[in-house]
Amino acid sequence: MSVREEFDAWAADGRDKGMETRHWHTAKHALARMPVEAGQTVLDLGCGSGYAGRAIRETKNAGTVYGLDGAPEMAHNAASYTDDSQVGYVIGDFGSLPFETNSIDHVWTMEAFYYAANPHETLEEVARILRPGGTFYCAVNYYEENVHSHDWQDNISVEMTRWSRDEYREAFRAAGLYVAEQDTIPDRETEIPDAEAFPTDNWESREAMVERYRTFGTLLTVGVAH
Ligand SMILES: C[S@@+](CC[C@H](N)C(=O)[O-])C[C@H]1O[C@@H](n2cnc3c(N)ncnc32)[C@H](O)[C@@H]1O
């Protein structure tokens, strides 16, 4: 199944909003760190419901915010959640970003980058469109050290790339981005039941669930264009 087919189906049954709710737990902390200045242009790659771009526009007074998504239904839903003329949604693929070289101040992506058919090519595209000094904030829950994410590929038809922390840094550098920061952001909001509730449908033990959310959380890698 293509990105379009897979994620159009997600958008049609409301999973864009479900993801927004879950991802916001850690995304908001990463978004708050982005050095976006008033008037700057920001791109959200794989925007889903588009919540991140709208938050950047509202909290940092960004000039123009674009959300790009390969699933037209996602972009359509995202557009329906705002009437801000400075926020626009674009249908496109991570392999070829429809933006001019040196035209974007900051790029954000949450739980989307690893769906790229060729993540190295996507990083080169990000490095191309960013202005020198521009940043790439790349947040993922699916990564090698997060052993609790390893079986996610079984439930989705789009091929996913599972890199380690080191592999993210190496790939950023190979694409011409400095690595300014790498960190894991714990999810302190997902509710974890008391021990007697385990095993649950999704978790063998309370320890595993605590590790997934409170210890591993979201891997954030920050690149800077030069
Ligand atoms: C798991 S969702 C995350 C959405 C949103 N960033 C969030 O935090 O809720 C991944 C999104 O990336 C988009 N996507 C996946 N692969 C893509 C590709 N190759 N090109 C463009 N968009 C893609 C999907 O359509 C989907 O909306």
Side-chain angles (χ1 to χ4, degrees):
M1 214 190 264
S2 65
V3 163
R4 179 186 183 134
E5 288 168 322
E6 176 81 44
F7 290 103
D8 268 352
W10 289 32
D13 68 16
R15 270 186 274 176
D16 59 329
K17 278 290 186 183
M19 290 192 290
E20 170 177 336
T21 304
R22 289 196 309 279
H23 297 163
W24 183 247
H25 297 173
T26 54
K28 64 185 170 191
H29 300 294
L31 287 164
R33 298 184 193 179
M34 285 184 80
V36 177
E37 293 177 20
Q40 288 189 322
T41 302
V42 182
L43 168 64
D44 178 2
L45 277 186
C47 63
S49 77
Y51 68 92
R54 292 193 294 275
I56 290 171
R57 168 96 175 117
E58 283 161 23
T59 60
K60 297 181 186 277
N61 198 20
T64 304
V65 172
Y66 299 105
L68 178 142
D69 207 284
E73 291 302 321
M74 284 286 184
H76 180 263
N77 280 5
S80 75
Y81 302 139
T82 182
D83 55 8
D84 184 342
S85 62
Q86 291 302 109
V87 177
Y89 296 98
V90 181
I91 298 163
D93 188 81
F94 294 165
S96 173
L97 301 178
F99 297 94
E100 298 288 324
T101 300
N102 291 352
S103 64
I104 303 286
D105 294 300
H106 305 279
V107 177
W108 161 263
T109 186
M110 172 81 190
E111 281 295 84
F113 174 78
Y114 48 70
Y115 293 116
N118 181 343
H120 296 285
E121 175 185 63
T122 299
L123 284 173
E124 282 164 19
E125 277 292 89
V126 169
R128 178 184 66 77
I129 64 172
L130 277 175
R131 296 198 172 102
T135 67
F136 178 39
Y137 273 64
C138 178
V140 295
N141 293 335
Y142 182 71
Y143 59 97
E144 185 62 24
E145 287 83 356
N146 180 8
V147 292
H148 306 294
S149 70
H150 287 192
D151 62 358
W152 294 359
Q153 178 70 84
D154 302 343
N155 300 317
I156 184 161
S157 60
V158 178
E159 198 166 330
M160 300 158 79
T161 295
R162 197 176 70 222
W163 280 345
S164 65
R165 296 173 62 127
D166 286 355
E167 285 173 312
Y168 268 95
R169 293 201 305 278
E170 280 162 25
F172 272 44
R173 289 184 185 122
L177 297 168
Y178 292 127
V179 177
E181 183 188 4
Q182 191 176 51
D183 198 6
T184 48
I185 302 175
D187 174 346
R188 301 195 189 287
E189 290 169 47
T190 293
E191 207 175 308
I192 300 180
D194 291 337
E196 53 268 26
F198 292 86
T200 68
D201 288 347
N202 296 319
W203 294 99
E204 272 296 305
S205 69
R206 191 172 194 278
E207 289 69 29
M209 192 174 177
V210 167
E211 188 173 61
R212 154 72 185 95
Y213 290 105
R214 308 291 197 257
T215 307
F216 294 149
T218 294
L219 175 65
L220 174 69
T221 307
V222 179
V224 179
H226 52 94

